[in-house]
Amino acid sequence: MALASVCGFDFKAGKSKLSLGFGEGFGGPSAVDALAASQSFTVPQGIDISQNLARFTDEKSDVKIHFDHGTTTLAFKFKDGVIVAVDSRATAGPYIASQTVKKVIEINPYLLGTMAGGAADCSFWERVLAQQCRVYELRNKTRISVAAASKLLANIVYDYKGMGLSMGTMIVGWDKRGPGLYYVDSDGERLDGSVFSVGSGSVYAYGVLDSGYKWDLAVDEAYDLGKRAIYHATHRDAYSGGVVNLYHMRETGWIKVSQTDVQELHFKYKAEKK
Amino acid sequence: MSDRYDRAITVFSPDGHLFQVEYAQEAVKKGSTAVGVRGDNLVVLGVEKKAVAKLQEERTVRKIALLDEHVALAFAGLTADARILINRARIECQSHKLTVEDPVTVEYITRHIAQLKQKYTQSNGRRPFGLSSLIIGFDFDGTPHLYQTDPSGTYHEWKANTIGRSAKTVREFLEKHYTDEVAVSDTETIKLALKALLEVVQSGAKNMEVAVMRRGKPLQMLESEEIEKYITEIEKEREEEAEKKKQKK
């Protein structure tokens, strides 16, 4: 195969990782059906992906595939739920590919996921997560908890650990335990927390977020804090920009609060200083 | 070698029966009786303890198994089959806790066991499990449950039920005597389970094994002295009833 030979794959050498199924995790019969087939990747036989990944990501390699990582996303819990704020810029190296990317994935009316890292990785796996959550709901006649949903995603990506998935996401929801916020990434990390920011601009966002954060924030103060933190990240980080998409996770589900261009915020905050 | 196992053992008869499953249900009917009663604040399981041989150590015969802190199971039928199912159920309880970060609901684990039983009615070279089970427990929201499964893989929720030997007689007894007033009182619920067992078991605490699950507490196996106490109470009540009837005449 032409592509394979360009990439230098040697099909005869090494053992492959078997294609992964999705076992009896949720009380269903062991999956030999369409449900599992749609989620499990047929991993190419005969090669070790983790070892060969360097061929693509190494800067000196002949095959230049550049993964988009630039972004700023944040989420924080407070007394009235969870605020999620994201930017909307996608970059491929120095080129701004888009200023209108939707980095919040609406998994279902009471679960949100954010996107940071590889856009395709995030949106694909979070859609798979949505499917799994729905099946859980149908089987168990109750909504899935945020802890379980985030664990599902973490376990899925852990199977692909080392194979080049790039995903840093926050799973946000409201279940019987109250507001839920989990950070999940493609290294298999899964953390419970009150404040997270993910992406190249997260360092700037954390500065603003941490200095203004209180559990007792009023709703409009929380909205302002989220927007402000993203704005400051977009101001300093070249790979973040576009608009701020702001969501609020409440007991009755999420609402999309606003979409504000960062330039507008720039002048607004400038005026405030005077 | 494996093609010898390619033929299904459980196949339909011309008139729509799965005979292997029905034969399995016959095996259940020969097993020792188990009774379950659900109260408002506790659930009781009682099983008939068959007399052990003189030289046999009594404690190796355990018919009530703990699946997790808040779920227990009693069965009627093939003990060896039950052991397999119990082991799988125990693993599933922990697996569920790991992936979902919540303890299983009684319905979930019952469904899992039932699905496993059903799989074995539709597999090559395997026979159905020869047992019915009574599963009791509390969900994490505090509601008590009692479920029954049978060899075909169906499951239903019950307020009170019995499986095994003389199940029909005992169930009729339960239907006659189970009321909401009984369910409200912890002692009445336990006594109802004992009364139902006494219908088929020769009187005596040494022929019964009784377990009580209370909300938020671990499974409690009643000591034989406690069972004797309840039985004495029951017998006293029955005498008083008989006296009253005599006096009416």
Side-chain angles (χ1 to χ4, degrees):
Chain A
M1 286 193 274
L3 181 60
S5 53
V6 164
C7 299
F9 282 135
D10 179 5
F11 280 96
K12 292 173 212 114
K15 282 196 84 180
S16 71
K17 196 157 180 178
L18 295 167
S19 70
L20 305 153
F22 206 77
E24 290 187 53
F26 269 26
S30 82
V32 229
D33 49 292
L35 179 67
S38 64
Q39 300 145 15
S40 58
F41 260 108
T42 346
V43 168
Q45 304 285 316
I47 40 160
D48 187 343
I49 293 174
S50 10
Q51 282 179 5
N52 285 290
L53 193 59
R55 271 188 241 256
F56 299 112
T57 51
D58 192 14
E59 278 178 12
K60 296 186 223 92
S61 117
D62 288 333
V63 184
K64 287 190 175 62
I65 298 179
H66 184 105
F67 294 104
D68 308 343
H69 286 91
T71 193
T72 313
T73 61
L74 65 85
F76 60 89
K77 282 200 265 196
F78 72 118
K79 70 170 174 24
D80 289 312
V82 195
I83 298 294
V84 183
V86 299
D87 78 313
S88 65
R89 178 176 289 184
T91 50
Y95 172 67
I96 295 179
S98 167
Q99 291 270 67
T100 53
V101 178
K102 284 197 66 190
K103 298 191 188 179
V104 172
I105 293 147
E106 297 159 9
I107 295 170
N108 63 43
Y110 50 93
L111 268 181
L112 289 174
T114 62
M115 183 200 293
D121 289 338
C122 290
S123 57
F124 179 83
W125 288 111
E126 288 183 20
R127 292 194 76 199
V128 169
L129 179 64
Q131 174 207 49
Q132 285 295 301
C133 290
R134 180 60 183 146
V135 172
Y136 179 97
E137 214 176 283
L138 286 168
R139 282 200 179 127
N140 295 285
K141 295 183 196 133
T142 185
R143 284 190 197 157
I144 192 169
S145 65
V146 191
S150 60
K151 200 143 208 184
L152 263 177
L153 184 62
N155 288 338
I156 292 173
V157 297
Y158 182 75
D159 278 338
Y160 294 96
K161 189 175 163 84
M163 293 193 210
L165 277 188
S166 168
M167 184 190 80
T169 182
M170 293 177 287
I171 302 295
V172 175
W174 193 305
D175 58 29
K176 60 179 182 344
R177 291 187 197 159
L181 170 59
Y182 287 83
Y183 165 74
V184 178
D185 74 15
S186 45
D187 295 329
E189 184 80 85
R190 175 178 165 271
L191 298 169
D192 182 11
S194 309
V195 180
F196 285 113
S197 178
V198 185
S200 56
S202 63
V203 279
Y204 310 108
Y206 269 128
V208 175
L209 201 47
D210 287 336
S211 63
Y213 175 76
K214 273 185 305 188
W215 177 264
D216 304 307
L217 284 170
V219 174
D220 51 314
E221 288 176 337
Y223 290 168
D224 181 71
L225 182 62
K227 271 191 280 189
R228 210 175 275 264
I230 295 288
Y231 159 74
H232 282 286
T234 60
H235 186 59
R236 286 294 179 179
D237 179 29
Y239 300 107
S240 303
V243 300
V244 181
N245 282 313
L246 188 66
Y247 286 73
H248 181 184
M249 177 64 68
R250 304 186 299 191
E251 194 168 357
T252 46
W254 57 261
I255 51 161
K256 181 163 186 182
V257 178
S258 65
Q259 184 180 55
T260 334
D261 193 311
V262 296
Q263 280 198 323
E264 211 184 283
L265 289 173
H266 173 84
F267 293 112
K268 179 173 159 216
Y269 297 143
K270 199 167 165 189
E272 275 171 15
K273 286 191 192 157
K274 293 203 181 118
Chain B
M1 227 290 258
S2 58
D3 14 315
R4 274 197 228 157
Y5 297 108
D6 272 354
R7 207 160 58 87
I9 289 175
T10 317
V11 288
F12 279 111
S13 70
D15 56 350
H17 291 255
L18 284 172
F19 280 124
Q20 281 300 304
V21 175
E22 290 181 15
Y23 298 158
Q25 281 160 346
E26 288 298 314
V28 169
K29 286 188 201 159
K30 292 198 166 56
S32 47
T33 316
V35 172
V37 182
R38 184 191 82 196
D40 289 344
N41 298 307
L42 52 57
V43 201
V44 188
L45 271 179
V47 293
E48 171 194 359
K49 244 189 346 192
K50 283 214 173 100
V52 292
K54 245 183 21 176
L55 293 173
Q56 189 180 346
E57 290 277 14
E58 209 185 297
R59 267 184 286 114
T60 54
V61 187
R62 266 277 125 92
K63 296 207 71 184
I64 299 179
L66 196 62
L67 298 183
D68 199 351
E69 291 170 327
H70 60 295
V71 189
L73 173 148
F75 63 91
L78 274 51
T79 316
D81 285 6
R83 209 174 51 229
I84 304 291
L85 271 183
I86 290 168
N87 284 339
R88 299 278 282 266
R90 282 174 174 159
I91 292 174
E92 180 59 26
C93 284
Q94 298 312 310
S95 180
H96 184 277
K97 257 197 209 162
L98 178 62
T99 46
V100 179
E101 291 191 352
D102 260 334
V104 292
T105 57
V106 189
E107 198 264 338
Y108 178 91
I109 194 65
T110 308
R111 195 170 4 122
H112 179 89
I113 291 173
Q115 276 168 346
L116 191 58
K117 285 184 174 178
Q118 191 282 338
K119 224 197 301 191
Y120 277 65
T121 68
Q122 210 176 11
S123 283
N124 294 329
R126 295 176 184 176
R127 61 162 176 80
F129 284 99
L131 67 119
S132 285
S133 62
L134 288 175
I135 299 161
I136 62 161
F138 281 86
D139 288 346
F140 42 78
D141 64 0
T143 49
H145 293 282
L146 164 67
Y147 283 89
Q148 184 229 359
T149 66
D150 69 10
S152 64
T154 55
Y155 69 95
H156 300 278
E157 184 164 14
W158 291 77
K159 294 180 192 162
N161 198 4
T162 172
I163 49 178
R165 209 161 55 86
S166 317
K168 224 163 154 220
T169 333
V170 182
R171 200 175 298 122
E172 278 166 13
F173 179 87
L174 286 171
E175 280 176 16
K176 239 180 23 177
H177 291 90
Y178 182 92
T179 60
D180 290 333
E181 288 94 52
V182 169
V184 164
S185 153
D186 288 1
T187 37
E188 287 303 313
T189 311
I190 297 175
K191 282 203 313 220
L192 179 62
L194 286 171
K195 280 188 227 175
L197 257 184
L198 285 170
E199 293 281 302
V200 288
V201 167
Q202 289 111 29
S203 181
K206 53 184 173 61
N207 290 329
M208 295 184 196
E209 205 174 297
V210 183
V212 175
M213 173 87 70
R214 287 192 171 82
R215 189 177 291 115
K217 300 228 168 70
L219 187 70
Q220 182 202 7
M221 301 294 291
L222 295 185
E223 301 280 329
S224 34
E225 296 94 50
E226 237 184 302
I227 302 176
E228 286 291 357
K229 220 177 51 162
Y230 282 117
I231 292 178
T232 331
E233 250 182 75
I234 292 168
E235 285 175 352
K236 213 173 63 167
E237 281 171 12
R238 284 197 178 151
E239 279 173 28
E240 287 171 358
E241 282 266 331
E243 279 293 312
K244 275 193 205 155
K245 280 200 182 140
K246 267 196 211 162
Q247 283 179 1
K248 272 191 190 163
K249 284 185 188 161

